[in-house]
Amino acid sequence: MGKNELHPVISVRLFKNEKCFGPGINELLKRVEEHKSLRSAANSMQMAYSKAWRIVKDSEQALGVKLLRSTTGGVGGGGAALTPEASKLVEAYQNYLVALNSAANTLFEETFEEFLK
Amino acid sequence: MGKNELHPVISVRLFKNEKCFGPGINELLKRVEEHKSLRSAANSMQMAYSKAWRIVKDSEQALGVKLLRSTTGGVGGGGAALTPEASKLVEAYQNYLVALNSAANTLFEETFEEFLK
């Protein structure tokens, strides 16, 4: 599918009673993994630390699972790392997006065939 | 899947170079079909008429397709109806959502199996 052809963009949010997980918290967790700190992860997304903290807390509460753990560093240290549950969740979400996008593209070509001529 | 169990909510937007179609314009067109007027459709969504008009124009321009046609009424009349292209698009989008959600639920149970225990 060329970039200028009509194509679907799928977005996935996970809910229980309320929203638990989506593109924002997923990106934030991936960046915590990379930067080993919530503050640096937030900075790298031009997001206020307080907002990042709130996003993590809201997701933890909705899921009923702890997503981040503190790591102690050297002087002025104190970073963050993903809990095993968060790592599994990020991986599952990523795998899910890949599988779903593949299904979405196939279904799209079937359903929108006449718009793609 | 129970409503309190973890479940995916999928949102679909259609793009060419830019966004062409999504949940907002789809809902608006369905309501034009029902109310036979863009103004009444907008009202029924608590949306300003000017905003509804802008959404239709933006989508028409991005798709390169006319979505609404004027219908003449009686005194003070003048309503709107979907063009054949808009009807086909709304139908295809609806069919696509049904098929995609079905695929999304199956894939979700496979991918998130361990989170659903």
Side-chain angles (χ1 to χ4, degrees), chain A residues 36-70:
Chain A
K36 298 175 179 29
S37 144
L38 181 57
R39 189 175 296 276
S40 304
N43 278 345
S44 76
M45 295 170 78
Q46 282 88 51
M47 182 186 284
Y49 174 71
S50 58
K51 184 175 178 187
W53 190 86
R54 175 49 47 211
I55 287 173
V56 172
K57 287 297 151 193
D58 285 350
S59 183
E60 285 182 335
Q61 186 165 20
L63 286 165
V65 164
K66 200 126 176 62
L67 295 173
L68 292 189
R69 62 185 175 80
S70 299

Side-chain angles (χ1 to χ4, degrees), chain A residues 3-17 20 63 85 88-93 95-96 99-100 103-105 107-109 111-112 114-115, chain B residues 3-17 20 63 85 88-93 95-96 99-100 103-105 107-109 111-112 114-115:
Chain A
K3 218 189 156 197
N4 289 347
E5 273 179 60
L6 194 66
H7 63 277
V9 175
I10 309 298
S11 129
V12 177
R13 286 168 179 76
L14 307 184
F15 281 70
K16 276 188 185 175
N17 315 23
C20 302
L63 286 165
E85 291 76 17
K88 282 186 205 164
L89 191 58
V90 168
E91 194 190 346
Y93 186 77
N95 290 341
Y96 185 59
L100 186 61
N105 287 334
L107 287 170
F108 188 76
E109 284 172 28
T111 317
F112 284 85
E114 70 174 297
F115 296 94
Chain B
K3 219 187 157 198
N4 289 346
E5 274 179 62
L6 194 65
H7 63 276
V9 175
I10 309 298
S11 129
V12 177
R13 286 168 179 76
L14 307 184
F15 281 70
K16 278 188 183 174
N17 315 23
C20 302
L63 285 165
E85 291 75 17
K88 280 185 206 165
L89 191 58
V90 168
E91 193 190 346
Y93 187 76
N95 290 341
Y96 185 58
L100 186 61
N105 287 334
L107 287 171
F108 188 75
E109 284 172 28
T111 317
F112 284 85
E114 71 175 298
F115 297 94

